[in-house]
Amino acid sequence: EAGVAQSPRYKIIEKRQSVAFWCNPISGHATLYWYQQILGQGPKLLIQFQNNGVVDDSQLPKDRFSAERLKGVDSTLKIQPAKLEDSAVYLCASSLVWALGRTNEKLFFGSGTQLSVL
Amino acid sequence: QQPVQSPQAVILREGEDAVINCSSSKALYSVHWYRQKHGEAPVFLMILLKGGEQKGHDKISASFNEKKQQSSLYLTASQLSYSGTYFCGTEIWVQGAQKLVFGQGTRLTINP
């Protein structure tokens, strides 16, 4: 079974530039998550999709971050303009269903995109 | 919202035991445990559901006390391969949405 695919693996940009990350979840997984992991910290949820609808984006800095999941499959996360504090690993994850606790479902993570903003 | 893990770091010799705790200020639907090795994606270990259950996988087990909103991960007779950062993820209900929120992690180092 293919895992969660993310690209690029690494990205280095200067502040105020824009950047985009791509994620292709496991086939058939309805729920897709974008997490931001700053060095030494736990993953922080940015946005959660159920099919192509947004379930939660309360932690997404909407003045600079945007995300979409067209056709309920792959997703892109964009930052424009980037700030120094956006340097982090951006993890995409997917799960079969949304109600994890009721269905004993787990998250599958991609390898992440490591972003360095200079 | 973020659960609190303790301790922040543990250093053990191979064969020793460790306990990692996770506590939340919010009511929990479930608790997940993941392990992340340096430069890699987090990997699922186990999930515990409401009902105060306990689970085990090889020599790694966990408990979930729903009333206390706490979970503990137990690693017995640790092996070198257990090294990594352990995250608990708590499934909570926030602003009408169910979401999985991770703790800050516990770094476990196993020495020969």
Side-chain angles (χ1 to χ4, degrees):
Chain A
E1 176 181 81
V4 176
Q6 286 190 249
S7 67
R9 187 74 177 89
Y10 303 94
K11 191 73 178 178
I12 301 174
I13 61 172
E14 295 190 348
K15 60 182 179 183
R16 291 187 289 273
Q17 286 187 323
S18 63
V19 64
F21 314 126
W22 175 81
C23 171
N24 191 17
I26 293 173
S27 178
H29 279 199
T31 309
L32 185 147
Y33 314 77
W34 282 102
Y35 283 89
Q36 178 194 58
Q37 188 175 26
I38 293 173
L39 187 64
Q41 299 181 17
K44 172 188 168 186
L45 180 65
L46 293 176
I47 189 167
Q48 178 175 329
F49 292 96
Q50 174 78 1
N51 295 312
N52 60 345
V54 175
V55 170
D56 177 73
D57 63 357
S58 57
Q59 298 288 303
L60 189 73
K62 297 181 188 64
D63 58 333
R64 298 185 300 106
F65 285 63
S66 65
E68 60 181 9
R69 189 183 185 196
L70 297 175
K71 300 180 182 178
V73 182
D74 55 353
S75 175
T76 55
L77 176 70
K78 296 179 182 177
I79 307 175
Q80 182 179 9
K83 292 185 176 181
L84 297 177
E85 60 260 36
D86 297 333
S87 294
V89 174
Y90 290 84
L91 293 166
C92 177
S94 69
S95 64
L96 193 59
V97 295
W98 173 30
L100 303 173
R102 297 175 201 158
T103 54
N104 206 16
E105 284 296 328
K106 60 186 180 183
L107 265 63
F108 293 82
F109 284 88
S111 299
T113 296
Q114 186 169 321
L115 174 67
S116 297
V117 182
L118 306 177
Chain B
Q1 295 184 17
Q2 183 182 32
V4 177
Q5 291 184 233
S6 63
Q8 288 190 326
V10 183
I11 301 175
L12 300 175
R13 286 193 179 276
E14 199 173 2
E16 292 181 337
D17 301 339
V19 179
I20 301 172
N21 299 303
C22 173
S23 63
S24 175
S25 60
K26 289 197 168 276
L28 304 177
Y29 282 88
S30 66
V31 178
H32 296 221
W33 286 97
Y34 290 78
R35 177 172 60 211
Q36 185 177 32
K37 293 188 179 285
H38 183 69
E40 300 180 9
V43 174
F44 175 81
L45 292 176
M46 64 187 75
I47 178 174
L48 298 104
L49 308 181
K50 289 173 70 172
E53 65 171 348
Q54 188 154 354
K55 270 195 174 181
H57 175 71
D58 196 11
K59 293 179 181 176
I60 300 176
S61 63
S63 63
F64 177 24
N65 188 322
E66 178 189 340
K67 197 172 181 180
K68 292 185 177 180
Q69 295 166 189
Q70 293 176 346
S71 177
S72 295
L73 186 71
Y74 308 94
L75 300 99
T76 57
S78 57
Q79 307 168 13
L80 294 176
S81 61
Y82 288 1
S83 291
T85 300
Y86 289 78
F87 295 100
C88 69
T90 54
E91 192 181 2
I92 59 175
W93 193 260
V94 177
Q95 295 177 335
Q98 216 162 345
K99 51 200 271 186
L100 191 65
V101 182
F102 286 94
Q104 80 280 17
T106 296
R107 179 178 291 181
L108 178 64
T109 303
I110 310 293
N111 293 319

